[in-house]
Amino acid sequence: MKLSTESYKGVRDFYPEDAAVQDYIFSIWQEACKRFGYERYDASVLEPADLYRAKSGEEIVNEQTYTFRDRGDREVTLRPEMTPTVARMVAQRRRELAFPLRWYSIPNLFRYEQPQRGRLREHWQLNADIFGIANLEAEIEAIALSSYIMHAFGAKDDAFSIRINSRKLTDWVMKEYLALDDAAAAKLSKLVDRKEKMPAEDFEKQVGAIITNKTTGSFFDLLSSKNIDDFEKALGAHAASAHGIAEIKETLARLAKLGIKNAVFSPTLMRGFDYYTGIIFEVFDTDPRNRRSLFGGGRYDDLLGLFSASATDKVPAVGFGMGDVTIRDFLETRGLLPKPQSPIDLYLCVFEEAQFSFAEHLASTLRAGGVSVAIDFTARKIGDQIKVADKKHIRHVVCIGDAEVTSGSFKVKDITTGIERQVTEANLAEVLIAARKAQ
Ligand code: HAM
């Protein structure tokens, strides 16, 4: 039987050119996190299935996880998100850790989804979270870090918008203003979350089926508010008893003071997970043809308490998750990915087998001098060897023949410009390193 070369449905193979893009994305994430004082942590992809039952939401556990029984009859899940894992880790060492914690990680996550643009079954996700800060400074920092990362990728402010809402407000609207029970509130949140993806008529019909009293019309007014002041006006006398409005206003004002002007209140922003308790935010592409969500997060003050019997053991937390699939799409469609560039400084092309040993010695010397070198070793036509270097985006080649072996002087060719220069062995490493730095 012939084996298929296809990868498993919804996951990706990373050929070197894809791995290079992934390295680039990860390096921007890592640099930004370090700049903001975040420390890296990590964990296994395997977690006990129970971890996700408590707070991630039923949908994720029942429909979206890879869960199986191991040989010891334990129920195991391939992590679909990192937040429960990091909450578990922080809760375990709560008494020893020096709060506030600023932690980041780039885990691969698994969700059993219908693969489509921007949604796969395995993705990598930057998670940056702050533990131990109960005031809005944590939200401001998380959003500032998000904005910093987008700028580090080369995105301008008008390329993305940061939508903000508060779980305090959405919960108040659902439970008190609309007087819905938990099940109806959950159904309505999910519907509102999908509002932009469905025709207005369908949306109104489905909302009408959940909200049966006369508040339906005013609920639509709330959802169409352009800003938080409009929202307050639409609430009328009810505004006085609403929760969360002040924190939304304060967040937006504080962000504006920091120079982050593309943050907006969004009454339709819900975020999927049950664990959020305060400000929630999600970053969207502003391209009118493609107003997609890029990433999001929020405050989750009660999640760590689930690992303790005592109510006083709460640890306030704020963070976000940014996926590599959506970010890569964004960078590609906006032409923001850097040109492919090889990490190899020099490709040594060799005319004949007799010169291999000389090439190996030269490569060792250059490597000791800090240069990255690969040797061809096929003894094919020199033109073909140079083509290989070009295809791999290696910038410089040196061809080794009898003349080079005797003279110890080499013609360094820059494939991108065609320019050649004669360099002695003593100067070769220096020349190549200078060229790398100048790029
Ligand atoms: P989430 O909104 O489920 O949040 O995922 C965050 C981001 O991960 C998404 O906006 C998207 O970029 C990416 N993502 C999620 N699922 C997929 C998928 N199937 N394929 C490709 N990309 C995907 C969370 O996971 C929260 N735990 C984030 C968080 C951290 N909240 C607080 N701290």
Side-chain angles (χ1 to χ4, degrees):
M1 193 192 72
K2 208 174 87 199
L3 279 175
S4 165
T5 56
E6 292 288 309
S7 55
Y8 170 70
K9 182 175 174 177
V11 307
R12 291 162 292 168
D13 290 326
F14 290 86
Y15 286 87
E17 58 273 26
D18 299 308
V21 173
Q22 198 184 43
D23 279 349
Y24 168 70
I25 292 173
F26 287 10
S27 70
I28 295 280
W29 284 348
Q30 262 160 352
E31 281 306 312
C33 286
K34 277 190 211 150
R35 231 7 116 75
F36 276 68
Y38 285 62
E39 298 171 284
R40 198 178 81 82
Y41 68 95
D42 214 334
S44 165
V45 297
L46 299 175
E47 284 283 8
D50 279 344
L51 185 64
Y52 305 101
R53 293 237 155 75
K55 273 274 176 176
S56 292
E58 279 301 301
E59 181 189 349
I60 217 168
V61 181
N62 295 339
E63 297 161 28
Q64 290 196 344
T65 59
Y66 283 87
T67 299
F68 58 94
R69 286 199 176 273
D70 70 8
R71 289 171 209 279
D73 209 28
R74 295 171 203 89
E75 228 187 332
V76 188
T77 296
L78 288 182
R79 61 185 175 200
E81 57 155 340
M82 199 60 164
T83 311
T85 298
V86 72
R88 177 178 66 64
M89 287 169 65
V90 173
Q92 189 183 97
R93 302 229 173 136
R94 201 181 48 245
R95 291 183 204 294
E96 300 136 59
L97 292 165
F99 290 96
L101 309 176
R102 289 183 168 85
W103 282 11
Y104 83 93
S105 192
I106 308 179
N108 54 338
L109 307 176
F110 302 85
R111 297 186 189 182
Y112 194 78
E113 312 213 41
Q114 210 38 52
Q116 53 188 284
R117 186 175 154 87
R119 294 229 151 249
L120 297 176
R121 291 186 171 175
E122 181 188 24
H123 74 282
W124 273 258
Q125 191 190 86
L126 168 67
N127 276 248
D129 294 84
I130 314 170
F131 299 91
I133 302 287
N135 56 46
L136 278 181
E137 308 312 319
E139 280 88 337
I140 305 295
E141 182 172 301
I143 296 168
L145 174 56
S146 304
S147 169
Y148 181 95
I149 292 174
M150 292 305 284
H151 289 148
F153 277 124
K156 300 265 185 307
D157 272 350
D158 61 2
F160 64 100
S161 86
I162 305 166
R163 298 190 191 171
I164 290 175
N165 200 350
S166 165
R167 268 292 162 86
K168 289 181 192 143
L169 181 58
T170 56
D171 282 352
W172 176 85
V173 168
M174 303 283 171
K175 307 264 172 66
E176 311 211 10
Y177 183 67
L178 300 174
L180 299 178
D181 61 23
D182 285 352
K187 223 167 146 186
L188 186 59
S189 307
K190 218 181 254 165
L191 193 57
V192 172
D193 204 35
R194 293 203 313 268
K195 180 175 182 285
E196 282 179 30
K197 294 183 188 136
M198 59 168 79
E201 262 173 54
D202 286 4
F203 177 73
E204 286 171 18
K205 217 164 103 193
Q206 290 186 42
V207 169
I210 301 172
I211 310 176
T212 44
N213 60 31
K214 57 185 183 328
T215 45
T216 322
S218 53
F219 181 61
F220 293 133
D221 289 342
L222 291 182
L223 292 187
S224 56
S225 326
K226 293 272 174 292
N227 53 47
I228 191 74
D229 294 330
D230 272 3
F231 189 91
E232 245 183 326
K233 266 184 224 143
L235 276 178
H238 295 284
S241 55
H243 298 179
I245 291 183
E247 69 172 17
I248 292 172
K249 284 184 175 171
E250 164 115 27
T251 304
L252 291 170
R254 296 284 312 284
L255 289 173
K257 256 195 195 157
L258 266 184
I260 299 172
K261 302 210 160 66
N262 53 347
V264 289
F265 165 64
S266 168
T268 56
L269 179 69
M270 293 291 147
R271 303 262 322 130
F273 298 107
D274 292 350
Y275 49 64
Y276 292 117
T277 54
I279 291 286
I280 46 177
F281 69 95
E282 202 154 314
V283 174
F284 280 75
D285 189 340
T286 50
D287 185 336
R289 289 156 303 169
N290 186 25
R291 280 191 203 278
R292 279 186 320 131
S293 157
L294 296 171
F295 62 94
R299 177 173 284 281
Y300 52 102
D301 284 349
D302 297 337
L303 192 58
L304 278 89
L306 295 180
F307 298 93
S308 165
S310 154
T312 53
D313 282 341
K314 270 171 73 155
V315 178
V318 174
F320 64 90
M322 184 186 290
D324 67 329
V325 183
T326 40
I327 279 295
R328 185 179 172 156
D329 279 354
F330 174 83
L331 297 175
E332 262 169 0
T333 51
R334 295 205 172 246
L336 291 173
L337 277 179
K339 271 203 272 143
Q341 219 177 57
S342 174
I344 302 164
D345 298 311
L346 177 69
Y347 198 61
L348 283 180
C349 305
V350 190
F351 280 92
E352 287 168 21
E353 283 182 26
Q355 293 128 10
F356 283 169
S357 143
F358 178 86
E360 281 158 356
H361 270 98
L362 178 62
S364 308
T365 317
L366 290 172
R367 286 173 191 140
V371 179
S372 148
V373 189
I375 311 175
D376 190 289
F377 289 139
T378 61
R380 276 179 305 197
K381 274 195 276 177
I382 282 293
D384 291 343
Q385 297 187 38
I386 295 176
K387 270 189 206 145
V388 170
D390 193 24
K391 215 168 163 186
K392 292 181 192 290
H393 307 289
I394 302 171
R395 186 151 165 216
H396 294 102
V397 292
V398 158
C399 300
I400 309 286
D402 283 340
E404 284 74 19
V405 172
T406 356
S407 68
S409 174
F410 310 96
K411 220 183 259 166
V412 181
K413 180 172 180 163
D414 180 333
I415 316 188
T416 53
T417 59
I419 295 172
E420 292 180 333
R421 48 198 288 210
Q422 198 69 32
V423 181
T424 60
E425 182 169 346
N427 292 329
L428 196 51
E430 201 185 313
V431 164
L432 291 164
I433 289 170
R436 185 208 301 153
K437 285 191 180 146
Q439 270 177 8

